[in-house]
Amino acid sequence: MEILLVDDELEFISTLAERLHYRGIEVTYTSKPAEAVELVKNRCFQVAVLDMKMPGIGGLELKALLQEHCPAMQFIFLTGHGSEEDYVAGKSASAFYLLKPVSIEVLVAKIKEAAACLPANQAAPPEEP
Amino acid sequence: MTSLYGPVGESGLSFFGKVAATACHELKNILAVIGENNGLLEDIVFMAQKGRPFDPERLGRACADVGKQIQRADDLLANVSRFAHSVDCFEDEIDLEDGCRLVVFLARRLTAAKRLTVEVAAAGAVRLAKANPLLIENLLWAALLEAADRCANGSALRVVVGERDGCPAVVFHGLENLDEEFRPTAPWTELLAAASARWEICGLERQCALLFGEDEPPRLDGRSS
């Protein structure tokens, strides 16, 4: 399974990526949204986990940019805000929506759930830890 | 619905809310980093119990990351607390440099959206003898965001506190989009009038300035006479 993680808090995503690795999920991460767009030009990920609010760009806007290159990619939004506005926006964008701080078990379950929504030829179950 | 507080009061409430929301967002992020490091330590303990050797250097990095976030939260709370106490007295002597540093700190997530580097400098101590602290902070906030809006992405915005024409002034340097007409709308005009201040734009020098203590009423086009 190929997961892309984008959040401007580098310390957050690097540690999260390490913990997902321990659970058999390999993650490519970046704290720069523009770099995420460059990454998907060469390689499609099955699931992208995006921060809802990053400097200069919102998660929904980034989702649209990533989908231009990878239309089947599934999305999970992470947010520290938890505002009603974010929740409605996240849900209406056909994506999963989680509040920070997020339990790793909940995130792993959501990643699997999101991956299960992929077309059959693009799905790959994560390895068990 | 009609306004209960007038444009200046409404602006103050909105400013207070914006600062609180921004601080909450940052605190959530800090907790998220601490939470992940806590989880990582639990993972390492779990794996060690299963016989997998652990890397002391990795533990050290996790501790350092947590320490860094604690310092970050402490800085944030110290500044938010200072800001919250702005409403303790209605009128006070105000150190403009101090006020600018506070507002630049509180707005850093917003200025980071444009990847701006914001630096505050002062040419001597500049004080407003008697002013409402929240009003002045609100005006500095509005001026900073207006200046930031006129900066190129990724550029440096320099905020210099000093005097201009004998008036206390805050000058914003390094602006780009100064050809666009500045059209002050509520609550800008009301904030300027309430603080006896005016907003000047100097396209040639790529700067905007907030000048205090002017007897002249603020010009509606925001340009200096």
Side-chain angles (χ1 to χ4, degrees), chain A residues 7-9 11-12 15-16 18-19 21-23 51 53-57 79-81 99-102 104, chain B residues 21 25 28-29 31-33 35-37 39-40 42-44 47 52 58 65 68-69 72 109 112-113:
Chain A
D7 190 306
D8 59 310
E9 292 285 337
E11 287 90 349
F12 170 69
T15 312
L16 186 55
E18 191 173 345
R19 298 187 68 208
H21 165 76
Y22 292 147
R23 287 159 177 82
D51 188 13
K53 283 201 166 78
M54 291 172 278
I57 191 167
T79 181
H81 268 259
L99 280 178
K100 284 183 193 171
V102 62
I104 191 82
Chain B
H25 188 192
K28 275 273 192 182
N29 279 337
L31 286 174
V33 178
E36 282 316 310
N37 277 286
L40 178 73
E42 285 174 352
D43 288 350
I44 291 172
M47 289 185 292
R52 181 168 163 173
R58 184 64 192 96
D65 279 350
K68 208 166 93 179
Q69 297 306 318
R72 181 179 165 196
R109 194 166 172 85

Side-chain angles (χ1 to χ4, degrees), chain B residues 50-189:
Chain B
K50 300 280 178 190
R52 181 168 163 173
F54 64 85
D55 176 9
E57 193 268 335
R58 184 64 192 96
L59 291 183
R61 272 193 291 134
C63 291
D65 279 350
V66 170
K68 208 166 93 179
Q69 297 306 318
I70 289 170
Q71 185 59 55
R72 181 179 165 196
D74 192 49
D75 288 345
L76 175 66
L77 291 176
N79 280 287
V80 170
S81 171
R82 241 189 81 204
F83 171 67
H85 285 290
S86 299
V87 292
D88 286 357
C89 63
F90 191 75
E91 273 190 335
D92 206 353
E93 186 185 70
I94 292 170
D95 180 326
L96 261 189
E97 182 193 354
D98 211 31
C100 282
R101 289 195 188 280
L102 176 64
V103 166
V104 165
F105 181 94
L106 296 173
R108 62 190 179 156
R109 194 166 172 85
L110 303 177
T111 50
K114 288 198 77 173
R115 293 178 282 107
L116 297 180
T117 308
V118 186
E119 182 203 338
V120 179
V126 180
R127 292 177 181 277
L128 299 181
K130 225 178 185 187
N132 180 284
L134 183 67
L135 170 67
I136 299 303
E137 285 159 8
N138 194 356
L139 190 54
L140 290 171
W141 170 276
L144 175 67
L145 296 189
E146 174 67 29
D149 202 39
R150 289 165 183 269
C151 286
N153 285 347
S155 64
L157 171 60
R158 195 152 181 265
V159 184
V160 180
V161 179
E163 286 195 353
R164 180 177 280 192
D165 304 329
C167 295
V170 179
V171 185
F172 299 86
H173 297 263
L175 283 63
E176 296 283 342
N177 310 318
L178 289 169
D179 292 337
E180 294 166 27
E181 188 78 0
F182 174 65
R183 298 180 189 281
T185 52
W188 246 113
T189 43

Side-chain angles (χ1 to χ4, degrees), chain A residues 6 30-41 54-55 57 62 65-66, chain B residues 115:
Chain A
V6 190
T30 174
S31 61
K32 299 183 176 79
E35 200 172 284
V37 176
E38 287 305 310
L39 280 168
V40 300
K41 284 181 183 169
M54 291 172 278
I57 191 167
L62 180 59
L65 292 174
L66 299 177
Chain B
R115 293 178 282 107

Side-chain angles (χ1 to χ4, degrees), chain B residues 188-199:
Chain B
W188 246 113
T189 43
E190 286 82 358
L191 286 173
L192 287 166
S196 301
R198 66 191 172 101
W199 181 241

Side-chain angles (χ1 to χ4, degrees), chain A residues 2-4 28 39-40 43-48 70 73-74:
Chain A
E2 295 190 277
I3 306 293
L4 175 64
T28 299
L39 280 168
V40 300
R43 163 189 182 197
C44 272
F45 295 84
Q46 286 149 321
V47 179
C70 304
M73 188 152 56
Q74 301 295 305

